[in-house]
Amino acid sequence: MDFHRRATYRYREIPAENRRRALIGERGYVMEELLVTIAKGLVEDKDAVSVTADAPDEEGMVVYHLHVGPDDMGRVIGKQGRIAKSIRSVMKAAATRQGTKIAVEID
């Protein structure tokens, strides 16, 4: 069995909930989970929290988009954007430890 067929076979063995993790890589998955965990700790409607990631640009920077419910937007941004700045700082520190560049946008 050649490498491509073996990789395809292994991908099919992965449970559906973990396939995204296999596709975006371990580092990207960890960063998304960190952002979701931080956001869910701040909001009331935890089901409305979602994160999407753009493909890396030519500099290698990945942009993560945090989506929360409209009622929880103020909780995530905070007074004068202090909580948003803190979220970005924590995410950049985690990315630096992994050797990647990221940016966080709150939508």
Side-chain angles (χ1 to χ4, degrees):
M1 186 181 294
D2 65 329
F3 176 75
H4 178 70
R5 290 180 63 196
R6 193 174 335 132
T8 304
Y9 180 72
R10 287 183 185 157
Y11 177 75
R12 288 184 188 148
E13 290 178 348
I14 298 171
E17 62 271 3
N18 293 336
R19 284 186 188 158
R20 178 167 167 68
R21 182 178 191 171
L23 287 175
I24 64 173
E26 189 67 30
R27 288 182 178 172
Y29 183 76
V30 170
M31 296 303 291
E32 281 189 19
E33 287 298 310
L34 176 61
L35 187 54
V36 167
T37 303
I38 292 170
K40 283 187 176 182
L42 296 171
V43 301
E44 287 184 5
D45 185 13
K46 297 180 185 337
D47 295 332
V49 175
S50 66
V51 175
T52 57
D54 292 343
D57 62 4
E58 61 275 351
E59 297 174 1
M61 181 172 285
V62 178
V63 179
Y64 290 94
H65 298 275
L66 173 63
H67 305 281
V68 296
D71 296 336
D72 292 325
M73 189 64 73
R75 291 177 185 268
V76 174
I77 295 174
K79 290 185 179 178
Q80 297 180 358
R82 288 182 183 162
I83 295 176
K85 286 180 190 176
S86 298
I87 291 171
R88 289 183 180 113
S89 297
V90 169
M91 293 298 293
K92 283 191 181 198
T96 302
R97 286 191 75 160
Q98 293 184 353
T100 59
K101 297 178 185 177
I102 67 156
V104 177
E105 292 185 4
I106 301 170
D107 301 329

